[in-house]
Amino acid sequence: MNVFQKDYLMTAGPTPLPPPVSQVMAEPILYHRSPVFIEIYERVLRRLRTVFQTEREVLMFAASGTGAMESAVSNLIAPGDAALVASCGKFGQRWAELCDSYGARTLHLEAQWGERVDPDEVDRALSEASGEVKAVYTTHSETSTGVINDVRAITETAHRHGAVVCVDAVSGLGVVDLPVDEWELDVVVAGSQKALMTPPGLAFSAVSERAHQLAGEARERGAASYYFDWARTLEGQAKQQPDSPFTPAVTLVRALDVALAMIEEETLEGVFARHAVLGRAAREAVKALGLELFGPEDDNANVVTVVKVPEGVEGTAIPKKMRQDYGITIAGGQSQLKGRIIRIAHCGYYGAFDILSTIAALEMTLKELGADVTLGAGVSGAQQVFLEAGIPMAQPVASAP
Ligand SMILES: *Cc1c(COP(=O)(O)O)cnc(C)c1O
């Protein structure tokens, strides 16, 4: 290990772990039917409801986030059912691939990458499908472009047409306000490895009563799942002493318990406020450096800051050089955006100096790659934001029980 290049993980999953989260995973393995584990499991399920801002049971699976996405398709779609996918990037496309895999008649409304899904276009597509669409699949935070969609408006539109909405909030949950019950979101999926500050391996589906009911009807039409069957998991979790139908990822559940306790201590509002400052600082740094942001100006785009690669610089060289020379891992663009953008994530266990270090390294990297940048200009832009904002939380985040 070269300590001169300490590692900084600035990617949108996996994200860095707070030390207490790492530490609890070194504890001996618990038997999943022991009273000690059941108590932790019950508490985690309750804490998940707080983060999802819901009264409903949040179903938990041992899987990466895509597993929960898959559950939203396998439970609701029988072969031949019409589904509308409203996407604006790489992760939205995944919904379409999943729908195709389960034999849906997939209608795919694709916004330009870097733009938001337009609720009016969703409205038009649903009108053209004349009431046949059972479910609309969309993305809260499109991690490939940094765009945050107007999930509330999309949901209202879908409901007017009698369809349920399934929202991929894998990177946005715990960063930007997403009140699941208040906005009547039918299905919201997330994963453990982004803003929830836990290693990859846990996936969540918050499923409304109406969606459970539709899943029952889809099953009669031939929809099939086994491990991801919502009814089976709900039955286990809703018991007096909650019980997972399969061996839960006990170590990750303990880690998540600690991470969620930290969120509880910071408060959800505090968490949103911190991410808002981090996002604003990153955006101001980019502008102060004379670079251009990718995607619409948006105070809510606080998951990942996406920057256009300046003219004359080899885009794929930026993340590579930052990692190799400075130990700072950021992401480049995927698919059609490869080489055109860089992505700096700040969803989860991040503070002011993660942003400042990253911007400092970005400046050095760009300078070495021949771009016309002034060292310190971006850092100064971010510092200004941090000075003006003060410390956006009541409690330091590093003291979980
Ligand atoms: C990370 C992510 C996922 C899930 O990816 P997994 O690798 O399966 O955990 C899905 N959607 C979005 C928007 C994401 O950022």
Side-chain angles (χ1 to χ4, degrees):
M1 188 195 189
N2 185 343
V3 182
F4 192 71
Q5 304 159 306
K6 279 172 70 178
D7 289 330
Y8 293 79
L9 198 51
M10 302 297 294
T11 52
T15 60
L17 301 184
V21 173
S22 299
Q23 280 156 15
V24 78
M25 289 189 290
E27 295 282 325
I29 290 282
L30 294 174
Y31 178 48
H32 62 293
R33 305 205 191 288
S34 66
V36 188
F37 182 76
I38 290 172
E39 192 186 314
I40 295 170
Y41 186 54
E42 196 168 17
R43 188 167 60 229
V44 165
L45 295 175
R46 175 176 56 73
R47 286 179 160 156
L48 278 171
R49 290 198 287 273
T50 308
V51 175
F52 277 80
Q53 304 185 59
T54 186
E55 299 283 321
R56 63 180 83 148
E57 197 64 48
V58 178
L59 308 179
M60 179 158 60
F61 305 98
S64 85
T66 306
M69 293 175 74
E70 178 147 354
S71 83
V73 177
S74 66
N75 281 272
L76 289 174
I77 297 293
D81 285 353
L84 176 70
V85 174
S87 78
C88 60
K90 178 99 180 150
F91 287 101
Q93 271 185 348
R94 186 167 297 177
W95 278 130
E97 288 162 15
L98 278 162
C99 286
D100 289 345
S101 299
Y102 281 87
R105 267 191 298 133
T106 313
L107 312 170
H108 193 175
L109 184 66
E110 266 190 288
Q112 289 267 12
W113 290 26
E115 283 173 22
R116 296 192 190 95
V117 169
D118 179 354
D120 290 338
E121 296 215 5
V122 174
D123 188 45
R124 215 165 302 133
L126 288 170
S127 295
E128 279 166 22
S130 48
E132 285 199 19
V133 170
K134 307 251 182 235
V136 175
Y137 293 90
T138 195
T139 317
H140 173 225
S141 153
E142 177 48 77
T143 320
S144 66
T145 64
V147 163
I148 304 285
N149 278 312
D150 188 348
V151 163
R152 186 179 204 174
I154 298 169
T155 303
E156 283 167 4
T157 307
H159 286 174
R160 269 204 311 281
H161 290 271
V164 290
V165 155
C166 303
V167 180
D168 168 1
V170 178
S171 67
L173 187 90
V175 177
V176 190
D177 194 20
L178 188 72
V180 170
D181 284 1
E182 191 191 322
W183 289 1
E184 298 179 13
L185 310 178
D186 301 283
V187 180
V188 176
V189 303
S192 50
Q193 81 274 31
K194 305 203 174 164
L196 301 188
M197 309 185 291
T198 301
L202 293 175
F204 317 104
S205 301
V207 181
S208 70
E209 228 165 277
R210 174 159 157 68
H212 275 295
Q213 199 180 343
L214 287 177
E217 291 166 24
R219 202 174 305 120
E220 296 192 352
R221 289 194 308 276
S225 14
Y226 185 83
Y227 179 77
F228 287 117
D229 183 69
W230 285 342
R232 182 178 281 116
T233 293
L234 178 65
E235 196 194 348
Q237 285 189 194
K239 282 186 194 157
Q240 187 69 29
Q241 296 220 311
D243 184 17
S244 164
F246 311 102
T247 315
V250 287
T251 308
L252 295 178
V253 172
R254 290 190 85 173
L256 183 63
D257 184 37
V258 174
L260 294 178
M262 292 174 71
I263 290 176
E264 229 166 69
E265 193 192 350
E266 192 181 351
T267 77
L268 210 44
E269 291 70 31
V271 170
F272 296 152
R274 173 168 53 86
H275 283 99
V277 174
L278 295 174
R280 193 158 74 241
R283 290 190 295 274
E284 288 308 316
V286 168
K287 288 189 231 164
L289 205 46
L291 301 178
E292 246 185 286
L293 291 164
F294 182 75
E297 270 283 337
D298 184 356
D299 291 345
N300 272 329
N302 300 325
V303 177
V304 50
T305 295
V306 184
V307 187
K308 288 187 192 166
V309 169
E311 250 355 281
V313 175
E314 167 60 40
T316 54
I318 302 170
K320 199 167 154 205
K321 195 168 175 53
M322 275 179 75
R323 191 177 56 244
Q324 282 176 354
D325 294 1
Y326 305 115
I328 298 188
T329 304
I330 64 165
Q334 299 162 287
S335 303
Q336 51 175 272
L337 293 174
K338 197 171 161 68
R340 294 178 46 206
I341 56 167
I342 54 166
R343 297 178 294 145
I344 301 166
H346 29 73
C347 50
Y349 183 57
Y350 291 102
F353 285 86
D354 294 309
I355 302 291
L356 291 171
S357 304
T358 304
I359 296 298
L362 176 64
E363 291 174 349
M364 289 155 82
T365 301
L366 285 173
K367 188 149 194 90
E368 285 178 302
L369 290 174
D372 178 24
V373 293
T374 308
L375 291 181
V379 169
S380 159
Q383 283 173 321
Q384 209 69 41
V385 172
F386 289 129
L387 271 182
E388 278 160 22
I391 299 166
M393 57 193 126
Q395 293 283 328
V397 80
S399 60

